[in-house]
Amino acid sequence: MLRSMSASPKRTPGSSPDFTLIGVILLLLAFGVTMVHSASSIISATRFQDAFYFSKRQALWALMGVGLMIWLSRVDYHVWRRHAPKIALASYALLVLVLVVGVNRGGSKAWLGIGSLGIQPSEFAKLGLVMFLAHLLAESKDRMHSFWRGFVPPMGLALVAVGLIMLEPDLGQSVVIMGTTLIMLFVAGTRWSHLATLLGAGVVGFAGLVAIAPYRMDRIYAFLDPWKYPLGKGYQIIQSLYALGSGGILGLGLGQSRQKFLYLPEPQTDFIFSIVGEELGLLGTVSVLLLFAVLIWRGIRTALYAPDDFGTLLATGITGMIAVQVLINIGVVTGSIPATGITLPFISYGGSSLTLLLSGVGILLNISKQAGMVE
Amino acid sequence: MLLFGLFAAIGALIGRLAYVQGWQAAWLSNLAKQSWDRTVPLSGIRGSILASDGQPLTYTASAPTIVAVPSQIKDKAGTAAKLAPILHMSVDSVLRQISQRELMVYIRPGGRQMSEEQANAVRKLELPGIYLTEDGKRAYPYGSLAAQVLGITGYDNVGLTGLEKQYNSVLSGKKGGITFYAKANGELIPGEGQSVVEPTDGDNIKTTLNLQIQQFVEREIEQAVAAYHPDSVTAIVENPKTGAILAMANYPTFNPADWRSADPSTYNRNLAIWQTFEPGSTFKIVTLAAALQEDKVNLNDRFYDPGYYEVAGHRIRCWKAGGHGSESFLNVVENSCNPGFIALGERLGKESLFSYIRAFGFGQKTGIDLPGEGNGILFKLSQVGPLELATTAFGQGVSVTPIQQVMAVGAVANGGKLMKPYLVSEIIDPDTGRVVSVTKPTVVRQVISPQVAAEVRAALESVVANGSGTRAYREGYRIAGKTGTAQVAKNGRYEPGHYIVSFIGMAPANDPALVCYVAIDNPHPEHGIVFGGVIAAPIVGNILDDGLRELGVPPQTQGLKKKYRYPEVPPVTVPNFVGLTMKEAQNLALQNSANLRVQVLGQGDVIIAQAPAGGAQVEPGSTIRLYRGQKAPSTNQVAAFALGG
């Protein structure tokens, strides 16, 4: 039994996709390329003697991604159900492969190098897992009340992926996968008691992860009191808060960030939201958050009006994935939660991430199209 | 429900953003600005400290020095190649130094303390990231002269003690600097520009120190140190009409050019204003002035001293065993007779005596323009009983600084006005020579009337001419003054054998141009035994003599003549030394202000005989022979509750 499936939408086959969603995505993409340019110009000029190094690439990825999105919006989403097991298998294979032949960047073996391109298997795996979980949960909806037959198989699959990603290690992606899985399980109607069991296991698991890599605990300390470690673990958070605070209500103006002058590490990826705050102020940051709120609202709406359970779960998974990533990224940047390296969807620089996200949105659009919204 | 949960999370983040970007914005942006700011300081030349005649006591020569900001030097090799020949250095060495990852570097050794020609050549190159500042060292043409008054400068030429500290802001001028917003790696943020504030040289300060008198004083201190091996010596010379300090010196001292190798207590403390101790008999001047002002005594009144004074059941003894017998109050002053002063204290009463003590400036800082001045300690009025009143009247149980005593006696010298002491008379712009500000003498208050002041001076002139201060007498210079001997208290008890002998004098007595105070802490005469009255008085006599000549004050003929010119020379009583150890004999002699010479003969630990014998009456200036031996006859008790001086 699916939760939230109370509404019984009228179907109008062949109706148009969700234009509000498309509008929001295009706005976010345009804004993202602009911000990547502004945030990265100093770093690009310093490292590559080309202020447009990152923004050129990001614009290209965005164009390709939009193309992909439009193409996928025309592909019947049920295709993914048929191929879900294969896609999942490929995802796991890539996650193993990256551990063997991956490229080490910034302490994490998260990248597969193909020529000058780098792809991040964890990004691919996120979407692959969402597809497979949607399939699995739709299949097993009569068993959802059972712990061993309903709850454990999907959770087990997710944990295997998380385990592989933690070997890279990449805490951010792991958290996003766990969050997305929980949202999907919740919508599929899993029992509260099962989630509680998981929570208990999670605490134990976290303790284990901290035992393996004590630097994770340091992140917690740095989060609790970043000012105590101004040059160490608290540095990023403090620099991020400097940026947000300097922006104030109205911001310093587009392109006027000072924190991007090598103070804030990687301002075009994980901490791009700080630069948004510095240049465009509270007005800018809240606007971005509201755009994401609209995106989430349209995504959940698509899930509600999906023609079948697989569609509902797939739409929920894709929307949930984006939402979790947004919340974690902005939570970190504002010092609200401990540091976890994750990019801001559609805005942060990153080809793999952008392509996969836009693919997800393409699928979402196809679901919305088949739902045939009736206002 | 899911939608609601996600929207709640977004709402929470918006709240957090509003807090960070609204509420905390001012605080955070201020911190951020600080982290962007880079300031390279530029200094001007520190001002000189001059003697009253304009001679520099310390100055800083111009020493242009290069400050390089490596992150602003794009063409490091070219810059090094242009600088190296001017600095007489190898290109490699310059290049290596300007390539360091520092905010700023000095190019050593050639880029420091350059000539003006070199500095101009560097200036002409207009190289980015190369700035000029001043890095001169303090020079002291007179070595350690007035070291504690001048004080020292530390890192970055900041005044740490003395006038250097007190007038640091005047001397150091205004710092300049190059301020720019920087990237995290120190490079300029393009387009932001930078602000260069040129430094301003410091002003000169002209002190009231008279170079000649200061040198006299330091010479006298050196001789006293050689003769008496004291723990410390302090001397102050004041112009009583203005409160200007003409000389101030201490032993032990230090060389300010090399203060880091000196004992910190020598440069951290200026004993003349910091040290507090019981003044002893010099304080009797205050009691006398108060009693005369309150009309409690006429100096011709008679007083009988049986050798003690009974206060609240206690017998306080006079320093002279057996007492001075019947005497006038002028004799009381001349003889420094303790019972006589106890009587004056009782006649005044504690309220009146202590109000005069405070009016004369004791118990509070004088406000001299030097850091580190002591307060001194007075009994609280509520705690003053008859005993405390009695001891205070002759200078025990109060704790005062040398500068307080000088200013109090200065008030007697100038007709009753307590002045505020000062050391800096003018602040002068070194470039134009224009006087920026002048110190005007400050009268704190009128303490006693001019008539009473004159009366006290007359009595003190008599002390020098006829009494315990005869060794300060100088023909024609009408020196008035008073000796003092104080036992030093440590941890609430008097330290046996530890005395501070002092003398405070002024001249000429009818219209003093100088007040001079000398205190010698814990003298250890080389040849064993010296009478206290012989130590400090002649030093003050010498200083006043030389000082008045230096100021061009003519000698007078109408002063009091020394009494020994008349037939009736008052004899002094020889103390009994027989049976005392050398140490005990020393202490006994130090307490006694009689003008007697001592010759010690033989070997051994104790005095076994003396000539003339104890109790004998002899002329002042006579010599007493003491014979040392091994035998130890029954030791006489040496009692010294009350000291004379």
Side-chain angles (χ1 to χ4, degrees), chain A residues 183 227 241-242 244-246 248-249 258-259 261-263 277 281-282 285 289 293 296-297 300 327 331 334-336, chain B residues 2-3 6-7 9-10 13-14 16-18 20-21 25 27-29 31-32 35-36 38 181-185 189 192:
Chain A
I183 288 174
W227 306 101
L241 290 175
Y242 278 175
L244 291 172
S246 304
I249 305 291
R258 291 188 199 284
Q259 285 296 96
F261 284 90
L262 315 184
Y263 287 96
L282 186 62
T285 52
L289 269 171
I296 290 166
W297 165 50
I300 301 282
L327 294 179
T334 54
S336 317
Chain B
L2 179 63
L3 194 61
L6 292 174
F7 280 7
I10 287 178
L13 285 178
I14 290 178
R16 169 74 182 162
L17 279 168
V20 171
Q21 300 197 273
W27 175 65
L28 284 169
S29 65
L31 283 174
S35 82
W36 303 327
R38 297 288 190 283
Y181 283 139
K183 300 183 195 178
N185 63 6
I189 291 183
E192 286 289 345

Side-chain angles (χ1 to χ4, degrees), chain B residues 322-515:
Chain B
H324 293 97
S326 175
E327 55 188 341
S328 72
F329 267 99
L330 182 62
N331 299 138
V332 165
V333 179
E334 287 170 1
N335 296 332
S336 197
C337 172
N338 288 347
F341 278 93
I342 297 170
L344 292 183
E346 283 188 347
R347 289 184 194 182
L348 280 161
K350 66 174 184 178
E351 276 82 10
S352 180
L353 178 61
F354 274 79
S355 79
Y356 274 96
I357 290 172
R358 290 191 183 281
F360 269 109
F362 296 101
Q364 69 242 334
K365 293 185 167 76
T366 62
I368 189 170
D369 45 353
L370 279 178
E373 193 184 353
N375 275 315
I377 305 161
L378 304 179
F379 286 120
K380 284 206 186 89
L381 206 54
S382 58
Q383 294 169 351
V384 176
L387 264 176
E388 288 77 15
L389 176 62
T391 61
T392 300
F394 58 82
Q396 279 187 28
V398 286
S399 175
V400 305
T401 62
I403 189 71
Q404 284 172 343
Q405 297 192 63
V406 168
M407 300 322 290
V409 172
V412 171
N414 68 20
K417 296 186 289 289
L418 181 72
M419 305 300 292
K420 182 177 165 184
Y422 66 97
L423 269 157
V424 169
S425 57
E426 291 175 0
I427 293 172
I428 302 166
D429 184 322
D431 299 326
T432 61
R434 193 174 61 89
V435 176
V436 180
S437 79
V438 178
T439 310
K440 290 195 187 76
T442 311
V443 179
V444 179
R445 65 181 78 85
Q446 184 83 33
V447 188
I448 50 175
S449 69
Q451 297 74 22
V452 168
E455 218 177 332
V456 175
R457 287 200 303 272
L460 294 177
E461 188 182 7
S462 181
V463 168
V464 171
N466 309 322
S468 53
T470 53
R471 292 299 298 271
Y473 188 86
R474 294 294 181 276
E475 183 74 45
Y477 277 118
R478 302 195 60 181
I479 294 175
K482 185 83 195 69
T483 55
T485 304
Q487 205 167 355
V488 175
K490 201 174 185 183
N491 305 327
R493 297 195 52 180
Y494 285 119
E495 236 185 293
H498 188 170
Y499 299 92
I500 295 177
V501 296
S502 62
F503 190 92
I504 190 155
M506 62 185 103
N510 58 323
D511 181 21
L514 295 174
V515 169

Side-chain angles (χ1 to χ4, degrees), chain A residues 184-245:
Chain A
M184 291 180 77
L185 280 167
F186 174 75
V187 171
T190 201
R191 290 197 173 174
W192 286 107
S193 59
H194 298 164
L195 292 175
T197 312
L198 184 80
L199 189 72
V203 171
V204 175
F206 177 77
L209 289 177
V210 168
I212 294 166
Y215 75 85
R216 296 196 179 103
M217 202 59 214
D218 294 345
R219 284 190 185 172
I220 308 270
Y221 291 138
F223 159 66
L224 291 175
D225 189 5
W227 306 101
K228 222 165 155 183
Y229 313 95
L231 294 175
K233 298 136 205 154
Y235 180 80
Q236 289 191 339
I237 298 169
I238 289 178
Q239 294 301 332
S240 174
L241 290 175
Y242 278 175
L244 291 172

Side-chain angles (χ1 to χ4, degrees), chain B residues 37 103 137 139 161 172 238 281 322 336 391 429 492 574-575 596 600 608 644:
Chain B
D37 253 10
L103 172 61
K137 274 214 169 71
T161 65
S172 59
E238 183 224 0
S281 301
S336 197
T391 61
D429 184 322
V574 177
L596 291 171
V600 183
I608 51 170

Side-chain angles (χ1 to χ4, degrees), chain A residues 27-321:
Chain A
L27 267 176
L28 283 172
L29 282 176
F31 181 71
V33 172
T34 314
M35 284 318 297
V36 163
H37 176 66
S38 176
S40 71
S41 56
I42 305 303
I43 281 198
S44 333
T46 308
R47 284 194 205 152
F48 308 106
Q49 283 73 49
D50 175 9
F52 288 88
Y53 182 90
F54 287 111
S55 43
K56 272 192 310 205
R57 281 164 177 72
Q58 181 76 350
L60 211 64
W61 284 116
L63 280 175
M64 282 168 54
V66 169
L68 199 60
M69 176 180 86
I70 292 167
W71 176 60
L72 288 174
S73 73
R74 293 161 180 276
V75 174
D76 180 5
Y77 70 88
H78 293 98
V79 170
W80 310 115
R81 186 163 192 179
R82 278 205 301 285
H83 297 295
K86 275 175 269 175
I87 293 172
L89 213 61
S91 302
Y92 285 111
L94 282 173
L95 285 179
V96 174
L97 188 68
V98 79
L99 292 176
V100 182
V101 299
V103 184
N104 201 327
R105 279 191 202 172
S108 273
K109 235 180 169 187
W111 299 81
L112 275 178
I114 303 169
S116 67
L117 285 174
I119 70 155
Q120 224 178 333
S122 53
E123 291 286 352
F124 190 76
K126 266 193 301 195
L127 192 57
L129 194 70
V130 166
M131 286 175 182
F132 189 69
L133 285 182
H135 163 65
L136 188 67
L137 292 171
E139 287 286 290
S140 59
K141 71 173 184 178
D142 301 330
R143 303 194 292 272
M144 279 321 289
H145 59 276
S146 155
F147 182 74
W148 289 108
R149 293 189 302 140
F151 180 77
V152 169
M155 186 44 76
L157 281 170
L159 283 174
V160 170
V162 165
L164 286 170
I165 292 172
M166 283 315 288
L167 288 175
E168 294 176 357
D170 189 336
L171 181 63
Q173 298 284 25
S174 307
V175 172
V176 172
I177 288 180
M178 278 314 292
T180 310
T181 308
L182 286 177
I183 288 174
M184 291 180 77
L185 280 167
F186 174 75
V187 171
T190 201
R191 290 197 173 174
W192 286 107
S193 59
H194 298 164
L195 292 175
T197 312
L198 184 80
L199 189 72
V203 171
V204 175
F206 177 77
L209 289 177
V210 168
I212 294 166
Y215 75 85
R216 296 196 179 103
M217 202 59 214
D218 294 345
R219 284 190 185 172
I220 308 270
Y221 291 138
F223 159 66
L224 291 175
D225 189 5
W227 306 101
K228 222 165 155 183
Y229 313 95
L231 294 175
K233 298 136 205 154
Y235 180 80
Q236 289 191 339
I237 298 169
I238 289 178
Q239 294 301 332
S240 174
L241 290 175
Y242 278 175
L244 291 172
S246 304
I249 305 291
L250 297 173
L252 299 173
L254 192 62
Q256 300 302 305
S257 161
R258 291 188 199 284
Q259 285 296 96
K260 68 186 178 191
F261 284 90
L262 315 184
Y263 287 96
L264 195 59
E266 304 296 326
Q268 77 278 24
T269 59
D270 294 2
F271 282 90
I272 196 162
F273 195 70
S274 324
I275 305 292
V276 173
E278 189 181 4
E279 299 196 339
L280 303 176
L282 186 62
L283 223 57
T285 52
V286 171
S287 303
V288 171
L289 269 171
L290 290 179
L291 278 178
F292 279 117
V294 173
L295 191 158
I296 290 166
W297 165 50
R298 298 311 291 193
I300 301 282
R301 201 182 138 89
T302 301
L304 285 176
Y305 293 108
D308 53 14
D309 289 346
F310 175 68
T312 299
L313 285 161
L314 190 56
T316 304
I318 292 167
T319 310
M321 182 177 81

